Amino acid sequence: MKKFTTLTTQVVPLPIENVDTDQIIPARFLKATTREGFGENLFCDWRYDASGSPRPDFVLNNPIYSGKALVAGKNFGCGSSREHAAWALQDYGFDVVISSFFADIFKGNALNNGLLPIQLSDGFVQRIFLAAETDPQAQVTVDLEAQTVTIETTKEYESFEINPYKKSCLINGYDDIDFILNQRAAVEQFEQQKAVV
Amino acid sequence: MGKTLVEKIWDAHVVKRDEGYPDILYIDTHFIHEVTSPQAFDGLRKRGLPVFRPAQTIATADHNVPTLNQHLPIQETLSRYQVDMLTKNCAEFGVELYGLGHPFQGIVHVIGPELGITLPGATIVCGDSHTSTHGAFGAIAFGIGTSQVEQVLATQCLLQQPPKTMRITVDGMLGPGVSAKDIILYIIAKISAAGGTGYFIEYAGSTIRSLSMESRMTICNMSIEMGARGGLIAPDETTFEYIKGREFAPKGAGWDKALAQWNTLYSDSDAVFDAELTFDAADIEPMITYGTNPGMGIGISQFVPSTNSQELSERPSYQKALNYMGIEDDSALLGKEIDYVFIGSCTNSRMEDLRAVADFVKGRQKAPNVIAWIVPGSKQIEQQAIAEGLDQVFEAAGFQLREPGCSACLGMNEDKIPAGKYCVSTSNRNFEGRQGPNSRTFLASPLTAAAAAITGRITDVRSLLTENTYA
């Protein structure tokens, strides 16, 4: 899995609430059998019109915004469990998604792929939106070790929570399978006890 | 202090709990389908791992299959490739597959219960968010991503934080024309599309107790639509009666042993939930959604809420949803013309749903402006519907009975709602483009959907109910 430590980047603001995984990657693009290439169709129906032309009012088509952090409204990633949503965001070039609230399955999928979901207060997310609106070049710094996000133009910062186990996985690039395989004896013992009951 | 049902099942499946780490949770039953499994099998190949417990994984093809002419090769190349890939992966790794043409094929959350694979007290996962459906049997069942599908294939375990628990109690008698779908759409409208996030929800109360297993599955199915990790209902005689005698259900002495254990599956009277909500069944009328998430629902006789009644920060998203739907705020939905009716999906494609629709449409005719599809949840349901003559009732009413699959629920296979068209759908999601690019979805119960098909407009089904009609 991809490692994550710190990142300083411009942000891509998407101040929409309840962004569901069908918007992130519509189902008709889930026919692929590998993890690569989904970035091309990230937010496809918001990015392109029916004829395939870019919609100029959508943020990914606005050349003044770029960067490795997507900042979105609350309840990001709700709906379908498709991990393709996390793959698409990562394949497009995002390493971080910031929101005031994440749906559970999306959050887990992101963490399992080294895409860092950061939950901040609604007030702080609004300040990032404001900073990006004021100056599209405005940068944020994400420090996973310190668990902080700092708006570089104003030096305002906020701490975020992350499960310590998941944090160490991200910093070291480990995944859950390595962890459970290491506990194989305990799993087999559990199965034997269960069979006896 | 007593335990909640979720805690009882969870604790019985913890292989190892270490301070500072998630629990290693043992998974009894794993369902897979063609869309979210290929990358997981690929992962196993890259790591050189077998499937650890192949007998505990069951596969079917549902998301990507056509619902007409299933005896012919799948026409769409990528869909065919994905379904073929599932067949190859299952053969290579020794996983049982109920693929196209198999008498057990169907929507993964329909066939598990129907075959007696879904059992009380079990931990059940699948790479699909509607896995919460299986919670209707008193199981811990939840949707997972593909990396976790790979974990379960490789280890039969998942790393999971213990969930928070919520109890939602619904008491009282349902009114005529009000069904399980209306109950769950009502609850989601009350607590929002994010209101259950982080929780496992136990549904309780006299209304829930009085429901059939099929209705209970409809309720648990949509737990994820309020963000919950899962939803479940304590098993009772209704549950045991449903399971008994099914293909893979325990039999003989195994049944007696299982039943003794299942009878311990309830929340203790002194158990404490992290959150508790109570609703009165008498307040629930037939429900319909007007927006682009399942929390945007109203009673059929109500008006679409005004933009000004929304929180200031939420108004842009709210207005975006109404614009997409082509709906004015402060307006009634009743009487709005529609184009399609879809009766199907893991939410509402079971015999009870098909029978209710057949009873209602018998002797009636669909409106000429409407295309009405009925897609059974499984091959067994399709066969049963034909055996009961429902196919003829549907045909006479102008409804098309198709073959089993996820169909128009998710705009992935050939069954899509065209851009700009309105569909009254018994499925679970009304997201933008969910049923096809720029399609517009009204979620409702099978009866409300059937009523809309007959009149060609959004209709209060209660105005069409007669004494003999199913209600």
PDB file of all heavy atoms in Angstrom, chain A residues 17 22-23 30-31 34 46 74 79 83 104 163 165 175 184 191 194, chain B residues 26 28 39 47 53 64 79 82 146-147 161 198 314 412 432 434:
ATOM      1  N   GLU A  17     -22.767  18.757  -0.564  1.00  0.00           N
ATOM      2  CA  GLU A  17     -22.994  17.771   0.501  1.00  0.00           C
ATOM      3  C   GLU A  17     -23.477  16.450  -0.070  1.00  0.00           C
ATOM      4  O   GLU A  17     -24.001  16.408  -1.182  1.00  0.00           O
ATOM      5  CB  GLU A  17     -24.037  18.306   1.478  1.00  0.00           C
ATOM      6  CG  GLU A  17     -23.533  19.548   2.179  1.00  0.00           C
ATOM      7  CD  GLU A  17     -24.551  20.145   3.101  1.00  0.00           C
ATOM      8  OE1 GLU A  17     -25.731  19.754   3.047  1.00  0.00           O
ATOM      9  OE2 GLU A  17     -24.144  21.017   3.886  1.00  0.00           O
ATOM     10  N   ASP A  22     -21.821   6.955  -6.384  1.00  0.00           N
ATOM     11  CA  ASP A  22     -22.304   6.900  -7.773  1.00  0.00           C
ATOM     12  C   ASP A  22     -21.878   8.157  -8.550  1.00  0.00           C
ATOM     13  O   ASP A  22     -21.735   8.108  -9.776  1.00  0.00           O
ATOM     14  CB  ASP A  22     -23.836   6.791  -7.818  1.00  0.00           C
ATOM     15  CG  ASP A  22     -24.313   5.344  -7.731  1.00  0.00           C
ATOM     16  OD1 ASP A  22     -24.455   4.855  -6.597  1.00  0.00           O
ATOM     17  OD2 ASP A  22     -24.529   4.719  -8.780  1.00  0.00           O
ATOM     18  N   GLN A  23     -21.716   9.293  -7.844  1.00  0.00           N
ATOM     19  CA  GLN A  23     -21.217  10.502  -8.516  1.00  0.00           C
ATOM     20  C   GLN A  23     -19.709  10.390  -8.722  1.00  0.00           C
ATOM     21  O   GLN A  23     -19.183  10.785  -9.755  1.00  0.00           O
ATOM     22  CB  GLN A  23     -21.523  11.775  -7.704  1.00  0.00           C
ATOM     23  CG  GLN A  23     -22.985  11.971  -7.348  1.00  0.00           C
ATOM     24  CD  GLN A  23     -23.922  11.649  -8.484  1.00  0.00           C
ATOM     25  OE1 GLN A  23     -23.739  12.114  -9.617  1.00  0.00           O
ATOM     26  NE2 GLN A  23     -24.915  10.826  -8.213  1.00  0.00           N
ATOM     27  N   LEU A  30     -17.877   0.465 -13.829  1.00  0.00           N
ATOM     28  CA  LEU A  30     -17.334  -0.529 -12.889  1.00  0.00           C
ATOM     29  C   LEU A  30     -17.087  -1.876 -13.540  1.00  0.00           C
ATOM     30  O   LEU A  30     -16.976  -2.890 -12.872  1.00  0.00           O
ATOM     31  CB  LEU A  30     -18.278  -0.715 -11.699  1.00  0.00           C
ATOM     32  CG  LEU A  30     -18.699   0.528 -10.930  1.00  0.00           C
ATOM     33  CD1 LEU A  30     -19.478   0.136  -9.679  1.00  0.00           C
ATOM     34  CD2 LEU A  30     -17.512   1.385 -10.542  1.00  0.00           C
ATOM     35  N   LYS A  31     -17.047  -1.898 -14.854  1.00  0.00           N
ATOM     36  CA  LYS A  31     -16.893  -3.179 -15.538  1.00  0.00           C
ATOM     37  C   LYS A  31     -15.437  -3.618 -15.641  1.00  0.00           C
ATOM     38  O   LYS A  31     -15.154  -4.743 -16.040  1.00  0.00           O
ATOM     39  CB  LYS A  31     -17.516  -3.102 -16.938  1.00  0.00           C
ATOM     40  CG  LYS A  31     -19.030  -2.875 -16.893  1.00  0.00           C
ATOM     41  CD  LYS A  31     -19.584  -2.634 -18.285  1.00  0.00           C
ATOM     42  CE  LYS A  31     -20.996  -2.093 -18.277  1.00  0.00           C
ATOM     43  NZ  LYS A  31     -22.029  -3.104 -18.091  1.00  0.00           N
ATOM     44  N   THR A  34      -9.433  -4.481 -13.232  1.00  0.00           N
ATOM     45  CA  THR A  34      -8.192  -4.084 -12.567  1.00  0.00           C
ATOM     46  C   THR A  34      -8.486  -2.824 -11.744  1.00  0.00           C
ATOM     47  O   THR A  34      -9.589  -2.292 -11.797  1.00  0.00           O
ATOM     48  CB  THR A  34      -7.080  -3.747 -13.577  1.00  0.00           C
ATOM     49  OG1 THR A  34      -7.500  -2.618 -14.352  1.00  0.00           O
ATOM     50  CG2 THR A  34      -6.811  -4.918 -14.519  1.00  0.00           C
ATOM     51  N   TRP A  46     -20.633  14.887 -13.721  1.00  0.00           N
ATOM     52  CA  TRP A  46     -20.527  16.301 -13.346  1.00  0.00           C
ATOM     53  C   TRP A  46     -19.456  16.989 -14.199  1.00  0.00           C
ATOM     54  O   TRP A  46     -19.499  18.188 -14.425  1.00  0.00           O
ATOM     55  CB  TRP A  46     -20.163  16.442 -11.852  1.00  0.00           C
ATOM     56  CG  TRP A  46     -21.309  16.098 -10.936  1.00  0.00           C
ATOM     57  CD1 TRP A  46     -22.607  15.843 -11.302  1.00  0.00           C
ATOM     58  CD2 TRP A  46     -21.272  15.983  -9.510  1.00  0.00           C
ATOM     59  NE1 TRP A  46     -23.363  15.572 -10.186  1.00  0.00           N
ATOM     60  CE2 TRP A  46     -22.577  15.647  -9.073  1.00  0.00           C
ATOM     61  CE3 TRP A  46     -20.260  16.134  -8.543  1.00  0.00           C
ATOM     62  CZ2 TRP A  46     -22.896  15.462  -7.715  1.00  0.00           C
ATOM     63  CZ3 TRP A  46     -20.583  15.950  -7.203  1.00  0.00           C
ATOM     64  CH2 TRP A  46     -21.889  15.618  -6.798  1.00  0.00           C
ATOM     65  N   LYS A  74     -20.263  17.874   3.635  1.00  0.00           N
ATOM     66  CA  LYS A  74     -20.408  16.767   4.594  1.00  0.00           C
ATOM     67  C   LYS A  74     -21.063  15.519   4.001  1.00  0.00           C
ATOM     68  O   LYS A  74     -21.769  15.598   3.008  1.00  0.00           O
ATOM     69  CB  LYS A  74     -21.169  17.241   5.833  1.00  0.00           C
ATOM     70  CG  LYS A  74     -22.640  17.423   5.625  1.00  0.00           C
ATOM     71  CD  LYS A  74     -23.300  17.837   6.944  1.00  0.00           C
ATOM     72  CE  LYS A  74     -24.775  18.073   6.672  1.00  0.00           C
ATOM     73  NZ  LYS A  74     -25.392  19.014   7.585  1.00  0.00           N
ATOM     74  N   GLY A  79     -23.472   5.968   0.173  1.00  0.00           N
ATOM     75  CA  GLY A  79     -24.029   5.080  -0.849  1.00  0.00           C
ATOM     76  C   GLY A  79     -23.236   3.806  -1.031  1.00  0.00           C
ATOM     77  O   GLY A  79     -22.772   3.199  -0.070  1.00  0.00           O
ATOM     78  N   GLU A  83     -15.252   0.223  -3.978  1.00  0.00           N
ATOM     79  CA  GLU A  83     -13.908   0.734  -3.676  1.00  0.00           C
ATOM     80  C   GLU A  83     -13.361   1.509  -4.873  1.00  0.00           C
ATOM     81  O   GLU A  83     -12.416   2.290  -4.753  1.00  0.00           O
ATOM     82  CB  GLU A  83     -12.994  -0.440  -3.307  1.00  0.00           C
ATOM     83  CG  GLU A  83     -11.681  -0.025  -2.679  1.00  0.00           C
ATOM     84  CD  GLU A  83     -11.022  -1.172  -1.923  1.00  0.00           C
ATOM     85  OE1 GLU A  83     -11.720  -1.877  -1.175  1.00  0.00           O
ATOM     86  OE2 GLU A  83      -9.809  -1.357  -2.095  1.00  0.00           O
ATOM     87  N   ASP A 104     -19.024   5.658   6.333  1.00  0.00           N
ATOM     88  CA  ASP A 104     -18.122   4.639   6.895  1.00  0.00           C
ATOM     89  C   ASP A 104     -17.368   3.803   5.870  1.00  0.00           C
ATOM     90  O   ASP A 104     -16.169   3.604   5.983  1.00  0.00           O
ATOM     91  CB  ASP A 104     -18.938   3.648   7.737  1.00  0.00           C
ATOM     92  CG  ASP A 104     -19.146   4.153   9.146  1.00  0.00           C
ATOM     93  OD1 ASP A 104     -18.316   4.939   9.611  1.00  0.00           O
ATOM     94  OD2 ASP A 104     -20.149   3.745   9.768  1.00  0.00           O
ATOM     95  N   ASN A 163      -7.508   6.466  13.736  1.00  0.00           N
ATOM     96  CA  ASN A 163      -7.216   5.258  14.496  1.00  0.00           C
ATOM     97  C   ASN A 163      -5.711   4.999  14.488  1.00  0.00           C
ATOM     98  O   ASN A 163      -5.081   5.032  13.430  1.00  0.00           O
ATOM     99  CB  ASN A 163      -7.987   4.098  13.837  1.00  0.00           C
ATOM    100  CG  ASN A 163      -7.710   2.789  14.505  1.00  0.00           C
ATOM    101  OD1 ASN A 163      -6.682   2.174  14.253  1.00  0.00           O
ATOM    102  ND2 ASN A 163      -8.618   2.368  15.351  1.00  0.00           N
ATOM    103  N   TYR A 165      -3.860   2.422  14.794  1.00  0.00           N
ATOM    104  CA  TYR A 165      -3.422   1.296  13.966  1.00  0.00           C
ATOM    105  C   TYR A 165      -3.397   1.711  12.494  1.00  0.00           C
ATOM    106  O   TYR A 165      -2.424   1.466  11.766  1.00  0.00           O
ATOM    107  CB  TYR A 165      -4.353   0.089  14.183  1.00  0.00           C
ATOM    108  CG  TYR A 165      -4.247  -0.942  13.077  1.00  0.00           C
ATOM    109  CD1 TYR A 165      -3.149  -1.794  13.006  1.00  0.00           C
ATOM    110  CD2 TYR A 165      -5.221  -1.021  12.086  1.00  0.00           C
ATOM    111  CE1 TYR A 165      -3.032  -2.716  11.973  1.00  0.00           C
ATOM    112  CE2 TYR A 165      -5.116  -1.938  11.053  1.00  0.00           C
ATOM    113  CZ  TYR A 165      -4.016  -2.780  10.992  1.00  0.00           C
ATOM    114  OH  TYR A 165      -3.902  -3.674   9.956  1.00  0.00           O
ATOM    115  N   ASP A 175      -0.743  -3.289   5.125  1.00  0.00           N
ATOM    116  CA  ASP A 175      -2.186  -3.440   5.006  1.00  0.00           C
ATOM    117  C   ASP A 175      -2.717  -4.513   5.958  1.00  0.00           C
ATOM    118  O   ASP A 175      -1.955  -5.215   6.630  1.00  0.00           O
ATOM    119  CB  ASP A 175      -2.636  -3.651   3.560  1.00  0.00           C
ATOM    120  CG  ASP A 175      -2.263  -5.015   3.002  1.00  0.00           C
ATOM    121  OD1 ASP A 175      -1.928  -5.921   3.785  1.00  0.00           O
ATOM    122  OD2 ASP A 175      -2.318  -5.161   1.769  1.00  0.00           O
ATOM    123  N   ARG A 184      -2.671 -16.084  12.020  1.00  0.00           N
ATOM    124  CA  ARG A 184      -3.323 -17.271  11.486  1.00  0.00           C
ATOM    125  C   ARG A 184      -3.584 -18.327  12.586  1.00  0.00           C
ATOM    126  O   ARG A 184      -4.652 -18.939  12.642  1.00  0.00           O
ATOM    127  CB  ARG A 184      -2.447 -17.845  10.358  1.00  0.00           C
ATOM    128  CG  ARG A 184      -2.861 -19.151   9.704  1.00  0.00           C
ATOM    129  CD  ARG A 184      -4.180 -19.167   8.990  1.00  0.00           C
ATOM    130  NE  ARG A 184      -4.433 -18.223   7.938  1.00  0.00           N
ATOM    131  CZ  ARG A 184      -4.133 -18.355   6.633  1.00  0.00           C
ATOM    132  NH1 ARG A 184      -3.474 -19.390   6.203  1.00  0.00           N
ATOM    133  NH2 ARG A 184      -4.498 -17.453   5.765  1.00  0.00           N
ATOM    134  N   GLU A 191     -11.566 -21.127  15.220  1.00  0.00           N
ATOM    135  CA  GLU A 191     -12.434 -22.021  14.436  1.00  0.00           C
ATOM    136  C   GLU A 191     -12.660 -23.346  15.173  1.00  0.00           C
ATOM    137  O   GLU A 191     -13.761 -23.883  15.186  1.00  0.00           O
ATOM    138  CB  GLU A 191     -11.808 -22.300  13.067  1.00  0.00           C
ATOM    139  CG  GLU A 191     -11.924 -21.121  12.112  1.00  0.00           C
ATOM    140  CD  GLU A 191     -11.321 -21.415  10.744  1.00  0.00           C
ATOM    141  OE1 GLU A 191     -10.288 -22.127  10.695  1.00  0.00           O
ATOM    142  OE2 GLU A 191     -11.869 -20.941   9.741  1.00  0.00           O
ATOM    143  N   LYS A 194     -15.040 -22.858  18.065  1.00  0.00           N
ATOM    144  CA  LYS A 194     -16.385 -22.605  17.560  1.00  0.00           C
ATOM    145  C   LYS A 194     -17.052 -23.920  17.138  1.00  0.00           C
ATOM    146  O   LYS A 194     -18.243 -24.124  17.357  1.00  0.00           O
ATOM    147  CB  LYS A 194     -16.283 -21.659  16.365  1.00  0.00           C
ATOM    148  CG  LYS A 194     -17.553 -20.904  16.077  1.00  0.00           C
ATOM    149  CD  LYS A 194     -17.271 -19.709  15.185  1.00  0.00           C
ATOM    150  CE  LYS A 194     -18.521 -18.888  14.966  1.00  0.00           C
ATOM    151  NZ  LYS A 194     -19.361 -19.368  13.897  1.00  0.00           N
TER     152      LYS A 194
ATOM    153  N   TYR B  26     -14.214 -12.676  13.066  1.00  0.00           N
ATOM    154  CA  TYR B  26     -14.367 -13.856  12.215  1.00  0.00           C
ATOM    155  C   TYR B  26     -15.632 -13.731  11.375  1.00  0.00           C
ATOM    156  O   TYR B  26     -16.693 -13.335  11.870  1.00  0.00           O
ATOM    157  CB  TYR B  26     -14.435 -15.129  13.065  1.00  0.00           C
ATOM    158  CG  TYR B  26     -14.334 -16.378  12.223  1.00  0.00           C
ATOM    159  CD1 TYR B  26     -13.097 -16.823  11.772  1.00  0.00           C
ATOM    160  CD2 TYR B  26     -15.470 -17.088  11.858  1.00  0.00           C
ATOM    161  CE1 TYR B  26     -12.991 -17.954  10.978  1.00  0.00           C
ATOM    162  CE2 TYR B  26     -15.377 -18.223  11.075  1.00  0.00           C
ATOM    163  CZ  TYR B  26     -14.128 -18.654  10.624  1.00  0.00           C
ATOM    164  OH  TYR B  26     -14.024 -19.767   9.834  1.00  0.00           O
ATOM    165  N   ASP B  28     -18.458 -15.616   9.182  1.00  0.00           N
ATOM    166  CA  ASP B  28     -19.028 -16.940   8.912  1.00  0.00           C
ATOM    167  C   ASP B  28     -19.327 -17.141   7.436  1.00  0.00           C
ATOM    168  O   ASP B  28     -19.039 -18.198   6.881  1.00  0.00           O
ATOM    169  CB  ASP B  28     -20.328 -17.128   9.705  1.00  0.00           C
ATOM    170  CG  ASP B  28     -20.099 -17.145  11.201  1.00  0.00           C
ATOM    171  OD1 ASP B  28     -19.144 -17.826  11.633  1.00  0.00           O
ATOM    172  OD2 ASP B  28     -20.859 -16.485  11.937  1.00  0.00           O
ATOM    173  N   GLN B  39     -10.708  -7.762  -8.630  1.00  0.00           N
ATOM    174  CA  GLN B  39      -9.453  -7.200  -8.115  1.00  0.00           C
ATOM    175  C   GLN B  39      -9.016  -7.909  -6.841  1.00  0.00           C
ATOM    176  O   GLN B  39      -7.821  -7.941  -6.522  1.00  0.00           O
ATOM    177  CB  GLN B  39      -9.611  -5.692  -7.866  1.00  0.00           C
ATOM    178  CG  GLN B  39      -9.850  -4.863  -9.126  1.00  0.00           C
ATOM    179  CD  GLN B  39     -11.322  -4.740  -9.520  1.00  0.00           C
ATOM    180  OE1 GLN B  39     -12.193  -5.427  -8.992  1.00  0.00           O
ATOM    181  NE2 GLN B  39     -11.609  -3.854 -10.468  1.00  0.00           N
ATOM    182  N   ARG B  47      -0.228 -12.240  -4.217  1.00  0.00           N
ATOM    183  CA  ARG B  47       0.380 -12.647  -2.947  1.00  0.00           C
ATOM    184  C   ARG B  47       0.649 -14.151  -2.891  1.00  0.00           C
ATOM    185  O   ARG B  47       1.184 -14.650  -1.898  1.00  0.00           O
ATOM    186  CB  ARG B  47      -0.548 -12.291  -1.782  1.00  0.00           C
ATOM    187  CG  ARG B  47      -0.728 -10.809  -1.525  1.00  0.00           C
ATOM    188  CD  ARG B  47      -1.831 -10.591  -0.489  1.00  0.00           C
ATOM    189  NE  ARG B  47      -2.362  -9.241  -0.529  1.00  0.00           N
ATOM    190  CZ  ARG B  47      -2.051  -8.286   0.344  1.00  0.00           C
ATOM    191  NH1 ARG B  47      -1.218  -8.525   1.315  1.00  0.00           N
ATOM    192  NH2 ARG B  47      -2.578  -7.086   0.229  1.00  0.00           N
ATOM    193  N   ARG B  53     -10.922 -20.376   3.329  1.00  0.00           N
ATOM    194  CA  ARG B  53     -12.064 -21.263   3.623  1.00  0.00           C
ATOM    195  C   ARG B  53     -13.077 -21.184   2.492  1.00  0.00           C
ATOM    196  O   ARG B  53     -14.105 -20.507   2.602  1.00  0.00           O
ATOM    197  CB  ARG B  53     -12.734 -20.840   4.949  1.00  0.00           C
ATOM    198  CG  ARG B  53     -11.858 -21.004   6.183  1.00  0.00           C
ATOM    199  CD  ARG B  53     -11.650 -22.469   6.536  1.00  0.00           C
ATOM    200  NE  ARG B  53     -10.827 -22.648   7.719  1.00  0.00           N
ATOM    201  CZ  ARG B  53      -9.600 -23.188   7.705  1.00  0.00           C
ATOM    202  NH1 ARG B  53      -9.036 -23.568   6.564  1.00  0.00           N
ATOM    203  NH2 ARG B  53      -8.939 -23.353   8.828  1.00  0.00           N
ATOM    204  N   ASN B  64     -24.396  -7.181 -13.336  1.00  0.00           N
ATOM    205  CA  ASN B  64     -24.041  -6.872 -14.719  1.00  0.00           C
ATOM    206  C   ASN B  64     -24.782  -7.729 -15.731  1.00  0.00           C
ATOM    207  O   ASN B  64     -24.451  -7.712 -16.919  1.00  0.00           O
ATOM    208  CB  ASN B  64     -22.537  -7.154 -14.863  1.00  0.00           C
ATOM    209  CG  ASN B  64     -21.834  -6.019 -15.533  1.00  0.00           C
ATOM    210  OD1 ASN B  64     -22.450  -5.273 -16.297  1.00  0.00           O
ATOM    211  ND2 ASN B  64     -20.567  -5.878 -15.286  1.00  0.00           N
ATOM    212  N   SER B  79     -19.282  -6.489 -19.933  1.00  0.00           N
ATOM    213  CA  SER B  79     -20.101  -7.211 -18.947  1.00  0.00           C
ATOM    214  C   SER B  79     -19.838  -8.701 -19.047  1.00  0.00           C
ATOM    215  O   SER B  79     -19.689  -9.401 -18.039  1.00  0.00           O
ATOM    216  CB  SER B  79     -21.596  -6.961 -19.185  1.00  0.00           C
ATOM    217  OG  SER B  79     -21.875  -5.601 -19.084  1.00  0.00           O
ATOM    218  N   GLN B  82     -16.559  -9.572 -17.517  1.00  0.00           N
ATOM    219  CA  GLN B  82     -16.564  -9.541 -16.053  1.00  0.00           C
ATOM    220  C   GLN B  82     -17.263 -10.781 -15.470  1.00  0.00           C
ATOM    221  O   GLN B  82     -16.796 -11.362 -14.495  1.00  0.00           O
ATOM    222  CB  GLN B  82     -17.263  -8.263 -15.570  1.00  0.00           C
ATOM    223  CG  GLN B  82     -16.864  -7.866 -14.172  1.00  0.00           C
ATOM    224  CD  GLN B  82     -17.409  -6.518 -13.775  1.00  0.00           C
ATOM    225  OE1 GLN B  82     -18.569  -6.218 -14.011  1.00  0.00           O
ATOM    226  NE2 GLN B  82     -16.576  -5.691 -13.183  1.00  0.00           N
ATOM    227  N   THR B 146     -13.497  -3.799  -1.862  1.00  0.00           N
ATOM    228  CA  THR B 146     -12.800  -4.911  -2.511  1.00  0.00           C
ATOM    229  C   THR B 146     -11.541  -5.342  -1.751  1.00  0.00           C
ATOM    230  O   THR B 146     -11.224  -6.526  -1.704  1.00  0.00           O
ATOM    231  CB  THR B 146     -12.472  -4.537  -3.963  1.00  0.00           C
ATOM    232  OG1 THR B 146     -13.709  -4.331  -4.643  1.00  0.00           O
ATOM    233  CG2 THR B 146     -11.694  -5.621  -4.672  1.00  0.00           C
ATOM    234  N   SER B 147     -10.831  -4.401  -1.131  1.00  0.00           N
ATOM    235  CA  SER B 147      -9.657  -4.794  -0.339  1.00  0.00           C
ATOM    236  C   SER B 147     -10.072  -5.717   0.791  1.00  0.00           C
ATOM    237  O   SER B 147      -9.350  -6.658   1.154  1.00  0.00           O
ATOM    238  CB  SER B 147      -8.963  -3.567   0.267  1.00  0.00           C
ATOM    239  OG  SER B 147      -8.397  -2.781  -0.745  1.00  0.00           O
ATOM    240  N   GLN B 161     -13.429  -2.053  13.968  1.00  0.00           N
ATOM    241  CA  GLN B 161     -13.731  -1.424  15.262  1.00  0.00           C
ATOM    242  C   GLN B 161     -15.130  -1.872  15.673  1.00  0.00           C
ATOM    243  O   GLN B 161     -16.024  -1.908  14.834  1.00  0.00           O
ATOM    244  CB  GLN B 161     -13.748   0.106  15.113  1.00  0.00           C
ATOM    245  CG  GLN B 161     -12.415   0.723  14.755  1.00  0.00           C
ATOM    246  CD  GLN B 161     -11.392   0.591  15.863  1.00  0.00           C
ATOM    247  OE1 GLN B 161     -11.740   0.342  17.025  1.00  0.00           O
ATOM    248  NE2 GLN B 161     -10.132   0.717  15.512  1.00  0.00           N
ATOM    249  N   GLY B 198     -21.990   5.114  11.505  1.00  0.00           N
ATOM    250  CA  GLY B 198     -21.207   4.606  12.634  1.00  0.00           C
ATOM    251  C   GLY B 198     -21.961   3.595  13.483  1.00  0.00           C
ATOM    252  O   GLY B 198     -21.373   2.937  14.326  1.00  0.00           O
ATOM    253  N   GLU B 314     -26.975  24.278   3.760  1.00  0.00           N
ATOM    254  CA  GLU B 314     -27.437  23.132   2.974  1.00  0.00           C
ATOM    255  C   GLU B 314     -28.247  23.545   1.754  1.00  0.00           C
ATOM    256  O   GLU B 314     -28.576  22.710   0.916  1.00  0.00           O
ATOM    257  CB  GLU B 314     -28.270  22.193   3.873  1.00  0.00           C
ATOM    258  CG  GLU B 314     -27.421  21.503   4.922  1.00  0.00           C
ATOM    259  CD  GLU B 314     -28.228  20.697   5.933  1.00  0.00           C
ATOM    260  OE1 GLU B 314     -29.441  20.568   5.767  1.00  0.00           O
ATOM    261  OE2 GLU B 314     -27.604  20.205   6.886  1.00  0.00           O
ATOM    262  N   MET B 412     -26.038  -0.039 -14.558  1.00  0.00           N
ATOM    263  CA  MET B 412     -24.772  -0.667 -14.901  1.00  0.00           C
ATOM    264  C   MET B 412     -24.949  -1.638 -16.066  1.00  0.00           C
ATOM    265  O   MET B 412     -24.139  -1.697 -16.979  1.00  0.00           O
ATOM    266  CB  MET B 412     -24.251  -1.418 -13.686  1.00  0.00           C
ATOM    267  CG  MET B 412     -23.098  -2.322 -13.992  1.00  0.00           C
ATOM    268  SD  MET B 412     -22.096  -2.623 -12.553  1.00  0.00           S
ATOM    269  CE  MET B 412     -20.552  -3.011 -13.368  1.00  0.00           C
ATOM    270  N   GLU B 432     -28.277  11.094  -8.280  1.00  0.00           N
ATOM    271  CA  GLU B 432     -28.190  11.569  -9.674  1.00  0.00           C
ATOM    272  C   GLU B 432     -27.630  10.439 -10.542  1.00  0.00           C
ATOM    273  O   GLU B 432     -26.598   9.862 -10.233  1.00  0.00           O
ATOM    274  CB  GLU B 432     -27.226  12.756  -9.779  1.00  0.00           C
ATOM    275  CG  GLU B 432     -27.751  14.045  -9.196  1.00  0.00           C
ATOM    276  CD  GLU B 432     -26.781  15.209  -9.430  1.00  0.00           C
ATOM    277  OE1 GLU B 432     -26.038  15.188 -10.430  1.00  0.00           O
ATOM    278  OE2 GLU B 432     -26.776  16.123  -8.590  1.00  0.00           O
ATOM    279  N   ARG B 434     -28.335   7.467 -11.007  1.00  0.00           N
ATOM    280  CA  ARG B 434     -28.256   6.105 -10.475  1.00  0.00           C
ATOM    281  C   ARG B 434     -28.869   5.083 -11.438  1.00  0.00           C
ATOM    282  O   ARG B 434     -28.365   3.988 -11.607  1.00  0.00           O
ATOM    283  CB  ARG B 434     -28.986   6.053  -9.124  1.00  0.00           C
ATOM    284  CG  ARG B 434     -29.153   4.668  -8.539  1.00  0.00           C
ATOM    285  CD  ARG B 434     -27.871   4.123  -7.963  1.00  0.00           C
ATOM    286  NE  ARG B 434     -28.099   2.778  -7.414  1.00  0.00           N
ATOM    287  CZ  ARG B 434     -27.173   2.056  -6.796  1.00  0.00           C
ATOM    288  NH1 ARG B 434     -25.954   2.532  -6.651  1.00  0.00           N
ATOM    289  NH2 ARG B 434     -27.455   0.864  -6.335  1.00  0.00           N
TER     290      ARG B 434
END
